Amino acid sequence: MQTVLGAGGPIADELVNEIHRNYTTDIRLVSRKPSRVNTTDELVPADLTDAEATSRAVAGSEIAYLTVGLPLDSQLWERQFPVIMRNVIDACAEHQTKLVFFDNTYMYPGTSKPQTESTAFAPGGRKGRVRGEIATMLLEAMQAGRVQGLIGRAPEFYGPGSTKSYTNSLVFDRIKAGKRPFVPVNAHTRRSLIWTPDASRALALLGNTPDAYNQTWHLPVDPNRQSYAQLVEIAGDVIGRKTDYTVLPMLAFRLGRHFVKPLDEMYELLDRYRTDNIFDSSKFAAHFPHFQVTTYQEGVRRILTD
């Protein structure tokens, strides 16, 4: 039995598909209101902030994937994420279940220095501090031998369908709708973006690789990093017409954050748009040399034509 805690959404759904295709059809989906991806999926409604419900959801699982996403709300993150992580660690320890945690990079410093698995946490805001806290909780549990776990960490998403990210919503979704895209802060810094199906495939691969455990892994990205200006140019080639863009400067976010909550929640992340964002996934590439990473050219084409 392999269990997805936080089922629903593009990462979890593609993860379930990948597990079903290549590893097992004995899959349990856990969320407040889970729905099947495959006809054989077992559905378990559970609130992961409830310790007893979390234990019941994990019981009988060989591997549990923690893919919970919460709305971008700092207070909600501070209130719920540490409780969820504590409950999941406890449940996995109780039931001798391996734990695979899908993480992000919010706890990393927003500088141009390459980010590796050993980069020290230096969060720039409340959400980054929460992510650093829960990653540290798992690392400490792994080091203490309480759980056999791993962390699969991903940078900002871009991807097909209902992928939710600033890059999708500000750039590609607007281009697809025939609108002028918005670029946050700087159009010419290099971006590290992960194609969401690649993230899910890589997470399933790590979870089913015994020697991947008790480590942190950067999930695979195309190392041929592109700036937003280059990505918009690629999009123009795909749709057959030149596309201009508007850069949203820091001042716009600084003023807008006082009136628009999503801009306020995004503000702590803006340093990563001001400079090159170099997420290094060479460790994964070296360990899994046959894993095919989606190129930016192919990813943009699929977003705009599928």
Side-chain angles (χ1 to χ4, degrees), residues 11 102 153-160 163 165 168 191-200 202 218-222 279 281 293-294 296:
I11 293 292
F102 180 64
R153 185 165 290 141
E156 185 180 344
F157 302 160
Y158 81 118
T163 296
S165 72
N168 263 54
R191 314 310 312 147
S192 292
L193 304 173
I194 192 165
W195 180 248
T196 48
D198 286 357
S200 300
H218 278 187
L219 300 178
V221 299
D222 179 359
F279 178 85
S281 58
V293 177
T294 302
Y296 291 113

Side-chain angles (χ1 to χ4, degrees), residues 198-214:
D198 286 357
S200 300
R201 289 192 301 117
L203 202 67
L205 176 58
L206 288 168
N208 288 277
T209 301
D211 68 358
Y213 281 85
N214 298 319

Side-chain angles (χ1 to χ4, degrees), residues 27-201:
I27 302 171
R28 177 184 295 161
L29 306 186
V30 179
S31 68
R32 292 179 183 270
K33 296 180 179 179
S35 57
R36 285 184 177 85
V37 178
N38 305 289
T39 57
T40 55
D41 296 338
E42 176 189 355
L43 304 184
V44 175
D47 176 358
L48 297 180
T49 64
D50 181 318
E52 291 185 6
T54 304
S55 177
R56 290 194 299 269
V58 169
S61 305
E62 176 190 0
I63 304 170
Y65 301 84
L66 180 55
T67 62
V68 170
L70 295 176
L72 284 176
D73 181 318
S74 296
Q75 287 187 338
L76 182 66
W77 283 34
E78 290 165 345
R79 187 168 64 250
Q80 292 195 0
F81 264 136
V83 176
I84 290 170
M85 179 59 82
R86 187 178 308 111
N87 289 345
V88 170
I89 290 172
D90 289 346
C92 288
E94 176 187 0
H95 298 292
Q96 297 297 295
T97 299
K98 297 177 182 177
L99 176 54
V100 178
F101 174 41
F102 180 64
D103 198 9
N104 68 25
T105 62
Y106 286 12
M107 75 294 290
Y108 284 159
T111 68
S112 60
K113 184 177 180 180
Q115 300 167 347
T116 71
E117 288 84 352
S118 61
T119 294
F121 296 170
R126 295 168 66 183
K127 289 182 292 299
R129 284 192 290 273
V130 171
R131 297 304 299 202
E133 177 186 351
I134 62 176
T136 299
M137 288 172 63
L138 178 53
L139 290 170
E140 289 176 347
M142 289 158 49
Q143 291 163 1
R146 289 195 64 215
V147 294
Q148 189 174 1
L150 67 84
I151 296 174
R153 185 165 290 141
E156 185 180 344
F157 302 160
Y158 81 118
S162 60
T163 296
K164 294 179 175 63
S165 72
Y166 294 123
T167 295
N168 263 54
S169 61
L170 294 176
V171 181
F172 297 125
D173 290 351
R174 292 183 62 83
I175 292 173
K176 195 168 185 177
K179 300 177 181 178
R180 188 184 183 100
F182 295 133
V183 170
V185 184
N186 192 327
H188 299 289
T189 57
R190 290 179 294 166
R191 314 310 312 147
S192 292
L193 304 173
I194 192 165
W195 180 248
T196 48
D198 286 357
S200 300
R201 289 192 301 117

Side-chain angles (χ1 to χ4, degrees), residues 230-243 300 304:
Q230 291 171 312
L231 290 170
V232 170
E233 183 176 357
I234 292 170
D237 290 340
V238 170
I239 64 177
R241 66 176 185 275
K242 178 177 171 57
T243 301
V300 173
L304 297 178

